[in-house]
Amino acid sequence: MTDTEVAPTTPADLPETARDNRRRAWIVTAMLVAFMMVNFADKAILGLAADPIRQDLGLSATQFGLANSAFFLLFSIFGAAGGLLADRVSPRWLLLGMALLWSVSQAPMALGAGVAMLFASRILLGAAEGPAFPIAQQTALSWFPDHRRNLPSSLITAGTTLGIVIAAPVLTWVVRQHGWRSAFAVVAVAGVLWAAAWAFTGREGRHAIAAATGTAAEPGSANVAYRRILATRSWIGVTAAYASTYWMIALALVWLPSYLHNGLGYSSTTSANLVALVWAVNAVALLGQAGLTGWLLRRGVSSRWARARVGGITLILAAAGCLALAGGRRGPLTVMLLVLGFGICGVMASIAVTTVAEVTPAERRGGALGLMNAVVTVAGLLGPVLIGRLVDTQGPAGYRTSIVVSGVLLLLGGLAAVTLVDPDRDRRRLAR
């Protein structure tokens, strides 16, 4: 055969085109947004159905707080372990297994289990959901270079808020019309449906290939020890800031509906709508932060300002909202302060992820994100039971005390982000 007789290369022989790659990237991102929506709907059930669950199972506020804290008993440990495992095993299959376990853990409560199984099912759910956020972020970021990661990362984080926006009115209606156990059945089915769709669409992007094949994306990057990453001021600063955010997430998931209903006197329907409003504002804030940060980075502004200080200032504003909210009563001003205190602090979740991803070599990214998530979610273990204890001992005043504590934690987190985080500096140090 002569050179001119060689068969021409067909489109099937060519690598995936840039257009196909972009389409696949956004399909995977959309699936991961849905993944986080189911994830947070799972978490939200106990808070949305707090009063009927406590009444049917005879739980005090402290015991109910313990049931919610049980969710975080293994959450942090498995979050760290899952993140480390994701550096060695395809995240595609880890995500599929997690979603199926979520559904299994919800089934006993849907079928009539009691208090003991409530605790056991929450522990299992926490173990299965512990690695969800870091692995979802790692999978999404594998499709995008650093300068394009703000939007997909924020969308994944916004999935957590959209889950509550949809779950709050829908699950509240299910609880009122069909009983609180039906809500557990709804989220169990949602998990199974997502897993079935992911089995056909889930995939990692080309930015994960170097790690998967064992080749270093940067000279010497595979030799960077986790302890060096965890010792950077940027990792410490964003972890502290994200921990204050996670405290607010736990408070919003577990006690915000009860605070609005029992502390401020709103009806259950109005409380559910206000919860949805808070999380909707959170989603808007996340997308706004992604746009602002991307705009700043494209104009050459350092990540220290474009990410860390944008997030830190946001937390400080949220802290001011919480501290003012503690002395408020039901009314429009309270709603505004509620939105300020609870509705904008979630931007730090996305900022923390993209900052750690920027600092950390690809081969260590899953572990670094998982370990960060393990640390910050300790706030979820401590927060619900502490607030439950305050409510039992102080009555409605316990809610106000918890809001003050939350404002102080947000202030400290914001200061940590502003003063400690400098990704450019720490990335250079790790490269030495």
Side-chain angles (χ1 to χ4, degrees), residues 410-427:
L410 285 172
L411 178 60
L412 294 175
L415 292 174
V418 168
T419 59
L420 295 179
V421 180
D422 188 343
D424 292 334
R425 173 199 64 207
D426 291 325
R427 186 176 63 250

Side-chain angles (χ1 to χ4, degrees), residues 112-316:
V115 174
M117 187 54 71
L118 173 64
F119 278 80
S121 67
R122 298 309 283 182
I123 292 172
L124 176 59
L125 180 64
E129 290 194 348
F133 184 70
I135 294 180
Q137 289 281 4
Q138 179 191 12
T139 305
L141 297 186
S142 73
W143 288 92
F144 301 91
D146 180 67
H147 67 284
R148 296 189 180 276
R149 286 175 176 162
N150 295 296
L151 179 57
S153 177
S154 294
L155 287 171
I156 301 300
T157 308
T160 66
T161 68
L162 293 174
I164 306 298
V165 170
I166 295 173
V170 171
L171 294 182
T172 298
W173 179 86
V174 170
V175 169
R176 292 180 61 186
Q177 297 297 319
H178 304 285
W180 59 268
R181 293 189 186 277
S182 298
F184 283 88
V186 169
V187 294
V189 171
V192 171
L193 293 176
W194 184 90
W198 179 253
F200 293 98
T201 60
R203 197 171 149 193
E204 283 185 278
R206 63 186 179 87
H207 293 279
I209 292 175
T213 59
T215 59
E218 302 171 2
S221 63
N223 297 320
V224 176
Y226 286 114
R227 59 180 174 77
R228 288 188 61 201
I229 298 170
L230 273 55
T232 61
R233 294 175 67 188
S234 291
W235 190 92
I236 294 170
V238 294
T239 299
Y242 185 18
S244 69
T245 293
Y246 211 91
W247 173 278
M248 297 300 293
I249 291 173
L251 176 58
L253 284 171
V254 178
W255 289 111
L256 183 57
S258 294
Y259 167 56
L260 294 170
H261 182 55
N262 300 321
L264 295 179
Y266 288 105
S267 68
S268 59
T269 299
T270 302
S271 297
N273 290 336
L274 288 175
V275 169
L277 172 64
V278 166
W279 289 96
V281 170
N282 204 346
V284 172
L286 281 164
L287 297 179
Q289 173 269 317
L292 174 60
T293 295
W295 181 80
L296 292 172
L297 289 173
R298 288 192 297 272
R299 278 152 183 77
V301 177
S302 70
S303 184
R304 182 180 187 183
W305 275 99
R307 284 179 174 144
R309 292 192 172 174
V310 166
I313 292 169
T314 301
L315 291 187
I316 292 170

Side-chain angles (χ1 to χ4, degrees), residues 365-405:
R365 190 170 295 145
L369 290 172
L371 290 166
M372 176 182 69
N373 215 53
V375 172
V376 304
T377 52
V378 172
L381 176 65
L382 300 176
V385 66
L386 174 60
I387 295 168
R389 181 63 177 169
L390 289 171
V391 171
D392 272 343
T393 57
Q394 299 180 14
Y399 292 114
R400 291 192 292 272
T401 302
S402 68
I403 296 296
V404 172
V405 171

Side-chain angles (χ1 to χ4, degrees), residues 32 95 101 106 129 134 145 335 353 397:
L32 293 170
L95 292 166
L101 280 176
Q106 303 286 22
E129 290 194 348
V335 173
V353 168

